[in-house]
Amino acid sequence: MTVATRRLVLPVGGMDCASCVRTIERALQALPGVAEASVNFAAQSATIVYDPNRVRPLALVKAIAEVGYSVPQEEVALSIFGMSSEHCSQLVERALREMEGVTRASVSFPAATATVKYYPGVTGPAEMLQVIRELGYEAAEKVKEAEAIDREREARRREIARQGRNMLISWPLALLVMLGTFWEYWILPAIVPEFLGYRWVLFLLTTPIVFGPARQFFVNAYQGLRHGVRDMNLLYASGIGAAYFIAVINTFWPQLGLGGERATFYEAAALLTAFIILGRYLAALTRGQTSEAIRKLLKLRPRIARVLRDGQEVEVPAAQVQVEDVIVVRPGEQIPVDGTVLEGYSAVDESMSGRAGRGKDHPPRRARSPGSTPSVMAAAGARNRGTSRAATLPPAGRGQGPE
């Protein structure tokens, strides 16, 4: 019987000579289940053919590390759509962490973002997106900022449109089901036709709701159970399904002993679906407005930092400032990162800082290093604590940052 093997390509770091190639190849070939191992020094990679039933990819990574080399990890950011609570983010985070090859996964519900560190070759963004989608959420890899914003807006627009269509189906039918269920009460007999209360009519009105707008709850609950996850979709599906199927049984087979002809709960299934859909529609609208407000705030952040490298000022993206970097902030500029004042004296406008974000206005604040004079100005940033060590300023001026 032919054994099914897999081919895996791993990047390898730390190789500097031909003997490194032979060392890694011997280490990999010594593992049970490895049929072939070939290391390419020029490409800094290892190609392994192995039996997945006998050896796991992480064992291959460990074998390379044990002989003194490394398998570099990569990090990817994913946008996730459809999460409705912190519980959803925890489910996605757990599923990502359980993936082979993933070393770290962090999911932020407010930002609707997952950050995953992984071994390339063992897994990748495509597999991560598949896992997230199997849980019932939509996901996309974050790309360039402008493209990512457009993609996120489009995804939010689709979600709002989808739930809007579900509302157009569920609410009119649910109201008819409610009127038919209670047609005998109050003034309803005068305005509601009697046939609307027939059980088979209620069945015909409720069925499109359950198999249309409510279908998402059953699909998501099933996908979650496949991965050992129990969330609100399971609760919704259980309530709607129980009400609907008991009503169907009592409509067509009342003699089965589940309450008889009067125990039909079509209105419960219909109205429960309608109200949940309404909640999801409003949540999608709110998240879209919140995301737009956050994007507008993010546009105010400084994108460039002026860093001292070998005595020269070098402009780098603010996200690439490292711990212990010394940055220079000139009068009128915004302060890109957190830090400590090393040199000089100036004033900082805190109107856009975290302190002002508590609903209080603060006057410009003086930033000064010990023993400095107004002729030598310095200040440190007020964002991303721990990112940078210090900021140095020229003499005072006026602007959004130091003054």
Side-chain angles (χ1 to χ4, degrees), residues 183-313:
W183 76 273
E184 299 175 286
Y185 301 95
W186 196 39
I187 62 171
L188 295 182
I191 58 176
V192 177
E194 182 179 355
F195 76 86
L196 200 59
Y198 296 167
R199 289 188 297 278
W200 64 269
V201 174
L202 296 177
F203 164 75
L204 292 177
L205 291 174
T206 307
T207 298
I209 300 176
V210 174
F211 290 94
R215 179 178 178 274
Q216 59 185 306
F217 309 135
F218 294 94
V219 172
N220 293 341
Y222 169 73
Q223 298 288 4
L225 288 175
R226 285 181 56 199
H227 293 82
V229 172
R230 297 177 296 276
D231 60 5
M232 292 302 293
N233 287 297
L234 179 59
L235 180 63
Y236 299 153
S238 300
I240 295 169
Y244 175 76
F245 287 110
I246 289 176
V248 170
I249 291 172
N250 287 332
T251 296
F252 298 101
W253 304 280
Q255 70 279 6
L256 292 181
L258 293 181
E261 297 179 353
R262 301 292 295 180
T264 53
F265 309 108
Y266 290 115
E267 79 287 353
L271 290 172
L272 181 58
T273 300
F275 277 110
I276 295 173
I277 294 294
L278 174 61
R280 294 205 165 182
Y281 176 76
L282 294 176
L285 281 178
T286 303
R287 284 197 298 271
Q289 293 169 355
T290 303
S291 297
E292 189 64 31
I294 291 174
R295 279 194 292 268
K296 290 179 180 178
L297 284 175
L298 289 176
K299 290 180 181 178
L300 301 176
R301 66 183 178 183
R303 300 181 181 275
I304 300 297
R306 192 173 289 104
V307 180
L308 285 178
R309 299 271 168 86
D310 299 324
Q312 301 292 322
E313 294 182 14

Side-chain angles (χ1 to χ4, degrees), residues 117-153:
K117 202 166 186 177
Y118 65 99
Y119 288 110
V122 180
T123 188
E127 291 82 0
M128 298 172 195
L129 295 177
Q130 181 63 29
V131 167
I132 295 172
R133 287 166 184 157
E134 286 179 354
L135 289 174
Y137 307 101
E138 286 297 320
E141 185 177 355
K142 279 187 174 291
V143 289
K144 294 180 180 179
E145 186 173 4
E147 187 178 344
I149 289 174
D150 291 341
R151 186 176 293 182
E152 181 181 359
R153 284 176 176 166

Side-chain angles (χ1 to χ4, degrees), residues 308-326:
L308 285 178
R309 299 271 168 86
D310 299 324
Q312 301 292 322
E313 294 182 14
V314 180
E315 290 189 352
V316 301
Q320 295 181 12
V321 176
Q322 303 295 319
V323 175
E324 299 299 324
D325 275 348
V326 177

